[in-house]
Amino acid sequence: MSRYDEARELYAKYGIDTEKALEKVKNVSISVHCWQGDDVVGFDSKQALSGGIQTTGNYPGKANTPEELMADMDKVFELTPGKKKLNIHACYAIFEDGEFADRDKIQPKHFDRWLKFAKERNMGIDFNPTFFSHPNVKDGLTLSSPDEEIRKFWVEHGKRCIEISQYFAEQTGEPCVMNIWIPDGYKDLPADRFAPRARFKKSLDEMLETPYDKDKVYICLESKVFGIGVESYTVGSAEFCMNYVNSKGITPLMDNGHYHPTEVVSDKISSMLLFNEKIALHVTRGVRWDSDHVVIYDDETREIAKEIVRNDALDRVFIATDYFDASINRISAWVTGLRSVQKALLNALLQPDSLLKSLQDENKFTDIMAVMEEMKTMPMGDVWAEYLKRENVESDYLTAVKKYEREVLVNR
Ligand code: RNT
Ligand code: ZN
């Protein structure tokens, strides 16, 4: 009997169908962030990363051109099982023949090479306006700036991005998730917390006047608690964003690195699902503060996946990765994170959810603890290995990563 067959029998004792889990997990789309490959630099201005987020480390092999970034992403796709979507930022616009368009003037054509790339790989595209790493981020502010010219510039950027998102959705035939995140905030105690948020609200209202199809483009708003150099006040706080999305019927996005360290997104998912048709996630790993570490197969990643599955919400949650590590091989970072999200989802699909739920209703917490602990040492790894085999992906990715490093990355 193969290890997978044995695992299947062991899971069946708990009424868990491993075949069903394998069928399901491969169709869960994960939106793969392009920015792990070049330390969130992009191609439009090559400005240093700003906005309270930082990439540390200088491991060799960073992608410097669209060709390099696309080649790296192909390597990542090859080493990762399951369904994927491409997630790009506006700063990854590709200008041909010396042409240039500033962020308030970008057009769909500046992303045609990404569109071609996605189409050839049968993928949809998610999109993000880039409200950072640009000279018009004035005093750390964009959509909340008191300078009307600056604020308007960024409103125009948002509008262009909605048009581009609509174009992506039409061209790929898959909905485009467009996520708005602004870095705006203050390092030290502000004298006025109200006015910047009022301006942010007004800017979003103006942006959202741009026509788009609600079944093609899902506009999200991502909140944050603080950033580097923006420690005391963040304009787009959790309360601001939650109230705004609810008042406008757009989609909330929770990044699990954007909360106080003892708060967990896994606990927030059920509440958000009760009040929103769809929710979006940035899966990352916070270490002490929002540090965007590579996602690993840790407790919180598993718990987030369990909440999505337990709440029967696989088709209501847009799952995207968001981390950037320049201190280790970037391809490996990408693959480790993506595989971890998938592993967590597979593990979630292998839990005896109905048994556990009925135990809870009977207040049998002794049993719940025992069953949950049992589950932790079930042979999930054998089911995972079977999944990789069926997806034609080698279990060992390090050998392929090292070969690519030797043959491609070190020559950059
Ligand atoms: C920053 C946010 C945001 C970015 C990306 C690059 O704290 O998490 O999502 O990481 O847009
Ligand atoms: Zn994020």
Side-chain angles (χ1 to χ4, degrees):
M1 223 205 278
S2 74
R3 286 177 62 148
Y4 171 66
D5 287 333
E6 271 184 40
R8 189 172 60 187
E9 284 191 1
L10 282 166
Y11 276 108
K13 284 189 188 155
Y14 285 90
I16 299 161
D17 186 342
T18 55
E19 284 298 316
K20 259 196 198 151
L22 288 170
E23 240 351 89
K24 270 201 173 166
V25 74
K26 70 172 187 208
N27 293 315
V28 182
S29 172
I30 312 282
S31 190
V32 182
H33 65 307
C34 77
W35 49 94
Q36 163 58 51
D38 74 334
D39 310 341
V40 211
V41 173
F43 307 127
D44 67 344
S45 62
K46 298 252 171 202
Q47 282 242 332
L49 181 58
S50 77
I53 51 178
Q54 261 179 24
T55 316
T56 51
N58 55 357
Y59 199 87
K62 174 165 99 63
N64 299 301
T65 62
E67 295 72 28
E68 288 176 357
L69 190 59
M70 287 179 192
D72 289 359
M73 290 197 91
D74 267 337
K75 188 44 78 181
V76 171
F77 297 152
E78 180 192 314
L79 300 174
T80 318
K83 191 166 149 50
K84 292 140 210 138
K85 213 173 166 188
L86 176 67
N87 197 4
I88 56 174
H89 245 279
C91 62
Y92 289 83
I94 301 173
F95 301 112
E96 315 280 356
D97 310 319
E99 189 203 5
F100 175 74
D102 209 347
R103 300 238 177 115
D104 59 336
K105 302 255 161 43
I106 43 168
Q107 294 169 44
K109 68 171 182 187
H110 301 126
F111 296 89
D112 270 340
R113 279 179 58 198
W114 284 113
L115 180 63
K116 185 164 173 277
F117 178 80
K119 271 187 168 171
E120 283 167 1
R121 285 149 191 81
N122 250 320
M123 287 178 190
I125 307 179
D126 290 335
F127 197 50
N128 306 262
T130 311
F131 295 103
F132 51 83
S133 309
H134 189 281
N136 282 358
V137 179
K138 191 179 166 195
D139 305 326
L141 307 176
T142 63
L143 291 178
S144 76
S145 175
D147 180 329
E148 259 311 274
E149 232 175 89
I150 295 291
R151 195 186 68 77
K152 284 279 181 209
F153 173 86
W154 290 110
V155 168
E156 286 306 310
H157 176 55
K159 285 175 167 284
R160 295 299 83 71
C161 288
I162 296 175
E163 291 156 6
I164 294 164
S165 299
Q166 173 84 17
Y167 175 73
F168 284 153
E170 280 163 3
Q171 295 292 316
T172 61
E174 267 195 62
C176 174
V177 176
M178 190 196 101
N179 179 46
I180 302 164
W181 170 73
I182 60 160
D184 301 31
Y186 294 113
K187 181 185 175 76
D188 228 317
L189 284 181
D192 183 357
R193 290 186 165 86
F194 190 87
R197 288 185 173 136
R199 286 190 293 265
F200 184 27
K201 181 168 181 277
K202 182 168 157 223
S203 300
L204 289 170
D205 288 349
E206 289 170 10
M207 262 173 72
L208 292 174
E209 280 165 16
T210 311
Y212 68 97
D213 290 327
K214 283 212 158 188
D215 55 342
K216 291 203 176 93
V217 178
Y218 287 86
I219 298 187
C220 303
L221 190 59
E222 177 180 13
S223 66
K224 190 165 181 173
V225 63
F226 84 102
I228 307 168
V230 195
E231 287 87 0
S232 300
Y233 169 82
T234 303
V235 180
S237 63
E239 294 72 19
F240 177 95
C241 291
M242 215 191 294
N243 281 302
Y244 191 84
V245 300
N246 283 336
S247 71
K248 285 281 176 176
I250 60 169
T251 304
L253 187 145
M254 295 187 291
D255 178 311
N256 61 295
H258 288 190
Y259 296 87
H260 188 279
T262 65
E263 269 185 277
V264 278
V265 162
S266 52
D267 183 58
K268 300 176 190 295
I269 290 174
S270 47
S271 304
M272 298 306 273
L273 283 171
L274 280 166
F275 297 97
N276 295 276
E277 179 203 330
K278 305 265 187 197
I279 66 167
L281 299 178
H282 270 181
V283 186
T284 188
R285 179 165 50 108
V287 177
R288 301 194 187 278
W289 48 277
D290 171 24
S291 49
D292 294 297
H293 280 58
V294 177
V295 175
I296 53 174
Y297 186 59
D298 58 9
D299 283 350
E300 177 56 4
T301 309
R302 282 201 293 266
E303 205 60 23
I304 288 173
K306 281 185 199 164
E307 282 300 308
I308 301 171
V309 170
R310 281 171 185 154
N311 296 324
D312 195 21
L314 280 169
D315 56 351
R316 292 176 59 202
V317 183
F318 297 118
I319 307 171
T321 46
D322 180 19
Y323 49 82
F324 21 97
D325 193 334
S327 74
I328 57 173
N329 180 299
R330 292 173 184 77
I331 313 288
S332 189
W334 240 324
V335 176
T336 302
L338 288 165
R339 284 191 180 205
S340 299
V341 176
Q342 293 231 337
K343 251 184 225 168
L345 286 164
L346 179 61
N347 179 63
L349 289 161
L350 294 170
Q351 300 301 310
D353 287 333
S354 43
L355 167 71
L356 289 166
K357 283 179 189 173
S358 51
L359 289 172
Q360 177 170 316
D361 290 343
E362 292 157 25
N363 198 33
K364 292 187 172 159
F365 276 87
T366 308
D367 305 48
I368 290 184
M369 188 186 281
V371 174
M372 281 184 172
E373 286 303 294
E374 255 323 273
M375 284 300 127
K376 286 184 182 167
T377 49
M378 287 289 279
M380 205 293 280
D382 293 335
V383 186
W384 172 253
E386 179 69 15
Y387 175 45
L388 293 179
K389 200 171 105 195
R390 291 187 190 183
E391 288 279 296
N392 287 318
V393 173
E394 290 269 339
S395 174
D396 161 35
Y397 56 98
L398 201 53
T399 307
V401 164
K402 293 240 164 109
K403 184 165 182 273
Y404 189 72
E405 180 173 311
R406 271 194 319 274
E407 290 173 0
V408 180
L409 299 179
V410 292
N411 302 317
R412 285 180 180 166

